């Protein structure tokens, strides 16, 4: 598995990317600008993504859980007994699953764009964005640069299709890890962009309600990729949360 490591701080910080994401596509401003004296920042390409290939990702119904195990093993191999997690979108889900399964290992947790369940309405959103020909060049080109157009298209179709498969035979929501949230003990910051077209606000509210003692921050101008569009503001919020006593925020 491929990873990048920058900084000299005692506080280890793992960045977990979104669907098909990698250090190259998802966390450039964080790897470049987060405080390298306070943190050691580790960017990671999950198995089958980015430079952690070949082989390409094979999506199964438990792929988020498998990624969480890989992330935990990576940090163990790097020598971290305790560390913090920053997870975006699918990476938020992976980070939450890891935090629930190994609560003794996670110091603090920051998630945005995540969802512990999927509604039928959200599945329709996924289906609408399945055709990458309809994506904006700004969203599509970074993925093509990493995978090539053919591989990117296939992987994205596979990602959408695994959620379609999860809904087969079901009339309601699909539970990804709802019952695991109560096991999270890490101090948790949830950030939500009010203009997020992929993840409705009720998902952030559900995380906030079910992760004990968590803090929810909403940005009126934020979209799904708020950490990229408003990188400086996001980084400042994260550094404050990670560096200070949670009870004083």
């Amino acid at each position: 598995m491929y990873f990048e490591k920058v900084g000299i701080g005692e506080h280890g910080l793992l960045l977990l990317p979104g669907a098909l994401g990698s250090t190259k596509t998802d966390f450039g401003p964080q790897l470049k600008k987060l405080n390298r004296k306070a943190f050691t920042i580790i960017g990671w390409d999950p198995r089958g993504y980015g430079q952690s290939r070949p082989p390409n990702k094979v999506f199964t119904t438990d792929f988020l859980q498998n990624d969480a195990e890989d992330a935990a093993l990576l940090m163990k191999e790097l020598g971290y007994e305790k560390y913090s997690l920053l997870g975006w979108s699918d990476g938020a889900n992976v980070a939450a699953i890891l935090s629930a399964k190994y609560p003794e290992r996670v110091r603090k947790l920051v998630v945005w764009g995540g969802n512990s369940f999927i509604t039928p309405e959200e599945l329709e959103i996924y289906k609408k964005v399945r055709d990458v020909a309809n994506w904006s060049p700004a969203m599509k080109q970074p993925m093509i640069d990493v995978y090539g157009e053919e591989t990117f298209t296939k992987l994205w179709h596979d990602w959408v299709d695994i959620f379609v498969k999860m809904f087969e035979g079901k009339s309601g929501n699909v539970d990804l890890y709802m019952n695991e949230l109560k096991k999270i003990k890490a101090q948790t910051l949830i950030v939500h962009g009010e203009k997020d077209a992929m993840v409705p606000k009720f998902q952030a509210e559900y995380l906030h309600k079910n992760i004990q003692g968590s803090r929810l921050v909403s940005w009126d101008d934020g979209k799904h990729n708020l950490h990229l569009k408003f990188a400086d503001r996001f980084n400042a919020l994260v550094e404050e949360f990670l560096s200070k006593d949670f009870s004083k925020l």
Side-chain angles (χ1 to χ4, degrees):
M1 289 187 291
Y2 176 82
F3 67 92
E4 298 180 21
K5 185 178 178 183
V6 298
I8 58 173
E10 172 273 334
H11 193 153
L13 182 59
L14 179 64
L15 313 178
L16 297 106
L20 279 63
S22 63
T23 57
K24 183 176 181 180
T25 58
D26 287 16
F27 287 117
Q30 285 68 51
L31 285 164
K32 292 177 182 176
K33 294 185 177 182
L34 282 173
N35 188 335
R36 296 188 180 190
K37 292 183 179 179
F39 309 105
T40 296
I41 305 136
I42 300 156
W44 170 59
D45 292 5
R47 187 192 302 257
Y49 287 174
Q51 296 183 71
S52 291
R53 299 179 302 134
N56 292 322
K57 191 80 162 183
V58 175
F59 290 98
T60 59
T61 55
D62 59 351
F63 80 96
L64 296 171
Q65 286 75 14
N66 292 338
D67 284 354
E69 287 292 342
D70 280 349
L73 285 170
L74 172 64
M75 294 305 282
K76 184 177 181 180
E77 286 294 319
L78 292 178
Y80 288 95
E81 293 184 5
K82 294 202 72 169
Y83 45 85
S84 293
L85 302 172
L86 263 67
W88 173 43
S89 197
D90 265 6
N93 299 333
V94 173
I97 292 167
L98 192 163
S99 298
K101 186 165 185 180
Y102 301 107
E104 73 284 356
R105 301 186 190 180
V106 182
R107 296 173 63 169
K108 294 190 178 184
L109 172 65
V110 182
V111 292
W112 64 107
N115 51 329
S116 62
F117 60 96
I118 305 174
T119 65
E121 292 76 18
E122 288 170 285
L123 182 66
E124 292 305 312
I125 295 174
Y126 297 175
K127 291 179 179 178
K128 288 178 181 179
V129 297
R130 187 179 187 275
D131 187 355
V132 298
N134 296 327
W135 287 29
S136 70
M139 292 295 293
K140 182 166 58 174
Q141 194 58 49
M143 291 294 188
I144 292 176
D145 291 344
V146 171
Y147 294 104
E149 189 162 7
E150 182 178 348
T151 298
F152 162 56
T153 300
K154 181 184 184 306
L155 284 172
W156 182 251
H157 288 176
D158 289 347
W159 182 87
V160 173
D161 293 346
I162 197 63
F163 292 108
V164 173
K165 181 179 180 179
M166 290 182 190
F167 271 89
E168 290 178 358
K170 292 183 179 291
S171 58
N173 300 336
V174 165
D175 178 2
L176 296 178
Y177 56 94
M178 297 170 68
N179 294 326
E180 304 305 305
L181 295 174
K182 62 182 180 296
K183 299 178 184 177
I184 296 175
K185 305 302 180 185
Q187 296 178 1
T188 301
L189 173 64
I190 303 157
V191 187
H192 178 72
E194 297 285 351
K195 296 182 178 180
D196 191 330
M198 290 291 290
V199 180
K201 188 174 183 178
F202 62 74
Q203 293 286 0
E205 292 173 337
Y206 188 88
L207 294 175
H208 177 44
K209 180 179 179 181
N210 288 278
I211 299 176
Q212 185 176 5
S214 61
R215 177 188 179 197
L216 173 60
V217 174
S218 294
W219 288 359
D220 291 341
D221 53 355
K223 295 184 179 180
H224 194 58
N225 63 344
L226 55 84
H227 68 298
L228 298 177
K229 187 172 184 180
F230 303 109
D232 289 343
R233 194 205 319 177
F234 178 83
N235 287 355
L237 174 66
V238 166
E239 288 185 3
E240 179 187 36
F241 171 73
L242 295 176
S243 301
K244 293 185 178 181
D245 186 332
F246 185 72
S247 64
K248 297 179 180 179
L249 294 178

